[in-house]
Amino acid sequence: MKKLTTLIILLSLFCTLPAIAKNAKQDTDENKVHYLNIQWWDEFNDPLLSEYMLNVFKNNHDLKIAALRIKEGEQIVKQSIADELPQIGLSGNVERVLRASDQYFGPNMKIPNFSQTNLLFPISASYELDIWGINHTKTKSTKKQLDIVKEEERAKYITVTGNFASAYYNLIRCDKLINIQKELKNTQDEILRLTKIKFEAGKCSVSDVIAQEQLSKAYDEELNNLIKERALVEEELRYVMADSQIGEIPDTSDKNIPVMQFPLQIQSDVIESRPDYIMAQMNLERMGLDVKVAKKNLLPRFIIFGQFGFNAYRLSNLFNNNALLSSIGVAPVLDIFTGGRKLAYLRFKKYEFDEAMEFYKKTVLSSYKEVNDALISAKMYSKNLQSAVERLELEDRNYKISQELYNSGRGTKPDLLAAYERELLTQKEIIDNKTNTLISVISLYKSVGGKNLKEITENI
C-alpha cells in the first residue's frame, strides 16, 4: 500500500506542469509580405519597382538572416519554458562487487568474502517548486527578447526596402542625366566647332577656343562619372535583390521620378511606431524582469525529487514486485556563502537596467531628430525643385527668344546653342532636386517607422 501511495505521488509530480501560454502563431514567409508595405510603394505607380521589391522579399540575405534570428529566439524561449517543467530521466546501473576479505560488524557478526551483482534501473524525476516565480520570470524575459528580435526584423524590412527604393530612383536619375549629358556634350562639341571656325576667320581669340575645349573636356569627365555611378548603383540593386537570374537592368530614363506628397508637420507620437523605439521600451521591460530574477535568486529554492524503478541482485528478479524501488522527497536549497557573487550579479543587473533607461531616453531623442532631419531635407529639396522649375520656364523663354533672333538673322548659332545648354543644365538640376526630394520623402517614411505618409497627412 505504501508503495502504491508513493507511485501515485510520483506520477502526480510528473503531471504537475506549470501553466504555459501558447506560442503565438509563427510568422511565415506568406504573411510576412505585409512587412514590405506594398500599399505605400504602390503610391509610386511603378510596376518595375513593385516587382523588384518582391525579389528583395524573396532573396535578400539580410531579411533571411533576420528571419532565422527569430527562429533562434523561439528555441531559446522553448528552452526557458522547459526549465519550468519537471525533469525526468531514465538511468541504469550494473555493477559487480567483489569482497576479498571478511567484513566484521561488531564482535559477533562476520560476513565472509563474497561477490555479487547489483542491478539498478530507476526513473528519476525532479521539479523545482517555483514559489518565487523565478523560472517563470526568466521565461517572460526570454519572450520579451524574442519580441525585440521580431521588431529588429521589421526594422530590417523598413531599412532594406527604403534603401533599395532610394537606389532605384538614383538609377533612374543616372539614366536621365546620362542622356542629358550626352546632349550637352554634343551641343558643346558643335559650339567648339563653330568657335574654331570663327578663330580661323580671325573673329575670336585662341583663349575663346581653349575655354570651349576645357568645357567640352569637363562635360566628358562628368559623363564618365555618371556612367560609373550608374554601374555602381546597378550593382547595389543586384546585391540587395540577391537574384542571380536578373540580367542587365534596362535603361530607365523613360520612367518618371514621382513628386510624392508629404506632411509639412508631424505629431510627436509618430515615433511610437518606430521599431527602435519599441525595442528600447521592450529592452527596458526585459531588464526590469532580469533585476527581479536577480533579487529572487537570494531566496531559498525548494526541489521535489523522486525515483521509481527496480533494484535487484539477479537479472531474473529485476522486474519482480520485491525489486520495486521508489522514493520521494523535498530538498530546500539556500546558498549561505557565495563570496558576494549573487549580490554582485544583482548590482550588475541594476546597472544594466539604468543603462537601458539611458538608451531609451537616447532613442527618443534620436527618433525625434531623424524625423525632423528628414522633414527639413524634404522641405528644402521641395523648395529647390520649385525654384528650378521656375528657372526652367525662364530658360525656356530665353531659348525661344534666341530661336526667334537666329531665325530672323539677328542672332548667331553659338548664342542659340549656349541658350540650349543653359536649358539642359537647368533640366539636370530639376532631376537632381526631384530625386533628392523623393529620397528625403523615403527617409521620412523610414524615420516614422514605415508608416504610410499619406495616412499621416490625412490625420493632421
Side-chain angles (χ1 to χ4, degrees), residues 106-120:
N108 300 320
M109 183 176 178
K110 181 185 77 170
I111 299 178
N113 54 16
F114 68 95
S115 63
Q116 69 177 22
T117 300
N118 190 22
L119 304 172
L120 183 61

Side-chain angles (χ1 to χ4, degrees), residues 128-129 131-132 134-135 138 296-303 330-335 342:
E128 181 178 349
L129 291 175
I131 297 176
W132 320 117
I134 296 177
N135 292 332
K138 288 180 180 178
K296 292 175 180 179
N297 276 336
L298 300 173
L299 301 174
R301 298 181 301 145
F302 298 90
I303 300 175
V330 178
V333 179
L334 176 62
D335 295 323
K342 289 189 174 182

Side-chain angles (χ1 to χ4, degrees), residues 25-36 38 54 57-58 157:
K25 183 180 178 181
Q26 295 182 2
D27 285 328
T28 61
D29 289 342
E30 288 74 16
N31 60 35
K32 278 184 180 179
V33 74
H34 72 275
Y35 286 167
L36 288 178
I38 290 294
L54 290 177
F57 171 73
K58 294 176 183 176
Y157 268 88

Side-chain angles (χ1 to χ4, degrees), residues 121-274:
F121 193 71
I123 296 176
S124 301
S126 65
Y127 173 57
E128 181 178 349
L129 291 175
D130 201 12
I131 297 176
W132 320 117
I134 296 177
N135 292 332
H136 187 60
T137 305
K138 288 180 180 178
T139 300
K140 290 169 66 176
S141 177
T142 55
K143 286 181 177 179
K144 192 66 66 175
Q145 180 62 40
L146 176 59
D147 292 336
I148 292 173
V149 174
K150 289 180 178 180
E151 284 300 316
E152 286 179 350
E153 182 186 38
R154 187 168 73 91
K156 185 62 69 175
Y157 268 88
I158 295 171
T159 301
V160 169
T161 54
N163 291 345
F164 180 83
S166 298
Y168 174 78
Y169 283 105
N170 260 325
L171 182 74
I172 296 176
R173 165 187 164 274
C174 288
D175 284 336
K176 289 181 177 294
L177 290 181
I178 286 172
N179 288 343
I180 294 176
Q181 193 64 31
K182 288 179 179 178
E183 184 67 17
L184 270 172
K185 179 65 172 59
N186 293 334
T187 304
Q188 181 57 33
D189 287 345
E190 179 64 14
I191 293 175
L192 176 60
R193 187 185 69 82
L194 295 174
T195 304
K196 288 180 177 179
I197 293 174
K198 287 175 64 178
F199 172 73
E200 291 172 357
K203 295 182 179 180
C204 68
S205 66
V206 67
S207 297
D208 294 330
V209 176
I210 292 174
Q212 296 302 327
E213 285 182 344
Q214 287 176 331
L215 189 55
S216 180
K217 295 296 182 182
Y219 284 166
D220 271 336
E221 293 172 9
E222 192 168 351
L223 178 60
N224 292 335
N225 289 334
L226 285 171
I227 293 173
K228 182 198 74 172
E229 184 180 352
R230 203 265 184 199
L232 293 176
V233 172
E234 183 176 350
E235 287 304 313
E236 176 67 16
L237 294 177
R238 292 175 186 279
Y239 172 77
V240 177
M241 285 188 285
D243 189 350
S244 59
Q245 302 302 318
I246 293 178
E248 183 179 354
I249 296 178
D251 189 314
T252 59
S253 58
D254 59 332
K255 290 188 170 295
N256 292 324
I257 301 174
V259 178
M260 302 295 295
Q261 298 297 320
F262 61 92
L264 298 179
Q265 59 181 3
I266 295 179
Q267 302 295 333
S268 59
D269 60 353
V270 74
I271 67 168
E272 295 177 3
S273 62
R274 285 173 56 104

Side-chain angles (χ1 to χ4, degrees), residues 31-59:
N31 60 35
K32 278 184 180 179
V33 74
H34 72 275
Y35 286 167
L36 288 178
N37 202 355
I38 290 294
Q39 294 174 341
W40 159 249
W41 300 115
D42 285 344
E43 298 283 339
F44 291 70
N45 295 317
D46 192 333
L48 184 59
L49 174 63
S50 300
E51 177 187 340
Y52 282 168
M53 281 293 182
L54 290 177
N55 282 336
V56 171
F57 171 73
K58 294 176 183 176
N59 304 310

